[in-house]
Amino acid sequence: MFSEFVQRLFLWEGIDTWIALTGALAAMACALPGTWLVLRRQSLLGDALSHAVLPGIVLAYLGMSWMEEIGWLADPSHVTSTTGIGRVAEGMSLVARRQGALFVGAALSGVLAALLSEVVQRWGRVERSAALGVVFTSMFALGLLLIRLFADRAHLDPGCVLYGNLETTAFDTIGGTTIPQAVVVNAGMLLINGLLILLFFKELCLNTFDPELGAAQGLKPGWVSLGLMSLTAATVVAAFESVGAILVIAMLIVPGATARMLTDRLPVMLGLSVVVAACGAVLGHVFALTLPAMVYKYGFGLDQRVMDASSAGMMAVTTFGLFMLAVIGSPKHGLGRVWLDRLRLQFRIAREDLLGGLYRKEESAVANPSNSSQPAKPHRMSLLLWFARTSLIRQGLIQVGPVGDSLTSTGTTEARNLVRSHRLWESYMARHFDLPDDHLHATAEDVEHFLGPELQAELAAELDQPTTDPHGKTIPHGSEN
């Protein structure tokens, strides 16, 4: 299977490079403002914005098509200049004109969505997220309806709106050159986003993490939020025509959320979000070319021949896969780290329970010599206790004797500190809480594993250096004594 995967990669052509580059540039451009939306806990707002701008984009596109039909604007596919430089300049001018119109339509649609959400929230007496959900789904449906109604008047189709037009983006070049328009537009948007975030980094940080401090320093949070929303809208418009709604929604949120799982440093997070977006786009196109045919060949219940998949859709799926890898393998916040820390804690508690049990057994043997030959009975998971016991033997904390395990001198010191923590906590609970004596042991059995020498000293001072616990058992001296 791997060899076939490599063989299919050798079929990579120049058009595939342009497709992957377009997707990567659009994804990186979306990832920069999207990371701030994730940090500001406004992920739904980015999703809503990418949906709500659709009616404005469709109306602007229809308007541009109508003006081209009646001759008010030149058709971008026909360029009149004869020189190469003239064709490039005129082609870029037409692209800029179209993108400007789409941005105006998207901005107006976004403003309308914001106003409608406020109206629904106030008049409908619902929470803000619910109002936003109602508005953006309705406006997205309206955009699709407009496409359906006026599809014959312009080259718009719901499939392109959802999945984009990445596969044909390499053919829509700038006047006489081999450079696709989408590459120039998305690269320019990535550059603008990077420069604006660099210039207004301090303002964005204040408005995101401490808006009250920013307001006290004269920064207007509303203007910063509006600027971020405008930047997000412009990015959505730039990417919408080439990669479609699904990839725009995915790249606005998923790379930032993935980077958030991997680091807590903001500059690193921004850089990682861009890297994740680029990797998701490139790998997504690679998988779109290779996986469907391989799945079909090895037979997984497909009834018809499938040789490829939507690049934009596969890019979104791949980016989600990278997010899941971060969720599992993140060194700080991943599930793997959580499970490992939990296992380590359980292992440490099992070791300390064994030490405490042996200490109490030896203590009981001194008080009742007739019970000294009775072996200790494990009371936790047998497999975990076996590993814990093996570890204690290897470290020389317990030794195996003819009548069972016993503590070494080093093991006795550690066990004494544990039992001291247990009985000090029982004494503290008995003094400050009106609890029966039989309710003290269970709590102390959990807390004893987290009381170090400093807390032991504080508890002993609070209790006036007690020598016995509420059950009349001797409280051992600490290791410092």
Side-chain angles (χ1 to χ4, degrees), residues 255-266:
T258 305
R260 181 67 185 88
M261 292 292 300
L262 297 175
T263 182
D264 293 329
R265 298 183 59 189
L266 181 55

Side-chain angles (χ1 to χ4, degrees), residues 295-335:
V295 169
Y296 174 82
K297 178 179 179 180
Y298 290 96
F300 288 93
L302 297 179
D303 296 329
Q304 56 184 353
R305 187 173 180 82
V306 178
M307 298 305 296
D308 56 12
S310 166
S311 292
M314 190 62 76
M315 287 175 183
V317 172
T318 305
T319 308
F320 173 74
L322 295 176
F323 171 74
M324 291 306 300
L325 289 177
V327 169
I328 296 173
S330 171
K332 286 190 175 182
H333 309 292
L335 293 178

Side-chain angles (χ1 to χ4, degrees), residues 373-388:
S373 61
Q374 294 181 1
K377 295 181 180 180
H379 57 281
R380 289 182 181 269
M381 294 174 57
S382 58
L383 181 61
L384 188 61
L385 280 176
W386 183 85
F387 279 112

Side-chain angles (χ1 to χ4, degrees), residues 53-320:
V53 298
L54 181 59
I57 291 176
V58 173
L59 291 175
Y61 194 94
L62 290 172
M64 291 287 292
S65 300
W66 177 73
M67 286 188 285
E68 289 171 3
E69 288 179 3
I70 64 176
W72 287 7
L73 293 176
D75 188 343
S77 62
H78 299 88
V79 196
T80 58
S81 297
T82 56
T83 63
I85 297 177
R87 287 196 300 269
V88 172
E90 189 170 350
M92 292 187 68
S93 175
L94 292 170
V95 171
R97 197 180 306 167
R98 172 188 288 179
Q99 293 298 323
L102 294 180
F103 174 71
V104 171
L108 294 176
S109 185
V111 171
L112 178 61
L115 294 176
L116 287 177
S117 63
E118 288 291 333
V119 171
V120 172
Q121 181 184 0
R122 293 183 181 182
W123 290 3
R125 296 181 180 180
V126 296
E127 61 175 343
R128 184 174 184 81
S129 59
L132 201 58
V134 170
V135 171
F136 86 73
T137 51
S138 301
M139 294 190 68
F140 187 67
L142 175 62
L144 293 177
L145 179 61
L146 291 173
I147 293 173
R148 182 65 178 173
L149 291 176
F150 299 102
D152 295 336
R153 295 184 52 185
H155 299 292
L156 280 172
D157 124 71
C160 289
V161 170
L162 293 175
Y163 305 115
N165 204 24
L166 265 177
E167 285 74 13
T168 59
T169 188
F171 302 108
D172 191 9
T173 59
I174 295 178
T177 69
T178 59
I179 303 175
Q181 296 179 4
V183 169
V184 176
V185 171
N186 288 291
M189 200 68 242
L190 174 61
L191 180 62
I192 292 172
N193 287 351
L195 289 176
L196 289 177
I197 289 175
L198 185 63
L199 289 173
F200 298 99
F201 185 78
K202 181 183 72 174
E203 289 78 5
L204 284 169
C205 286
L206 283 174
N207 186 254
T208 299
F209 301 110
D210 198 343
E212 291 80 8
L213 177 60
Q217 294 184 356
L219 182 67
K220 297 187 179 300
W223 286 105
V224 176
S225 299
L226 181 61
L228 181 60
M229 291 302 101
S230 300
L231 187 65
T232 305
T235 306
V236 168
V237 173
F240 203 96
E241 186 176 3
S242 55
V243 301
I246 289 179
L247 189 58
V248 168
I249 295 169
M251 292 306 181
L252 272 176
I253 304 304
V254 181
T258 305
R260 181 67 185 88
M261 292 292 300
L262 297 175
T263 182
D264 293 329
R265 298 183 59 189
L266 181 55
V268 178
M269 190 183 305
L270 290 169
L272 281 177
S273 68
V274 173
V275 172
V276 170
C279 291
V282 175
L283 292 176
H285 184 59
V286 170
F287 293 150
L289 294 177
T290 57
L291 290 186
M294 294 172 62
V295 169
Y296 174 82
K297 178 179 179 180
Y298 290 96
F300 288 93
L302 297 179
D303 296 329
Q304 56 184 353
R305 187 173 180 82
V306 178
M307 298 305 296
D308 56 12
S310 166
S311 292
M314 190 62 76
M315 287 175 183
V317 172
T318 305
T319 308
F320 173 74

Side-chain angles (χ1 to χ4, degrees), residues 334-346:
L335 293 178
R337 176 61 182 270
V338 172
W339 292 335
L340 182 60
D341 290 344
R342 186 175 299 172
L343 182 61
R344 286 175 177 171
L345 178 61
Q346 291 178 348

Side-chain angles (χ1 to χ4, degrees), residues 349-365 374-379 392 398 405-407 415-416 418-419 423 445 448-449:
I349 290 175
R351 282 167 44 96
E352 293 178 352
D353 283 348
L354 277 176
L355 291 174
L358 289 174
Y359 183 90
R360 292 181 178 91
K361 173 191 171 183
E362 295 179 1
E363 186 182 48
S364 177
Q374 294 181 1
K377 295 181 180 180
H379 57 281
L392 292 172
I398 64 175
D405 298 339
S406 60
L407 294 170
R416 184 188 299 118
L418 182 72
V419 174
R423 293 175 181 173
E445 194 173 37
E448 65 183 285
H449 303 286

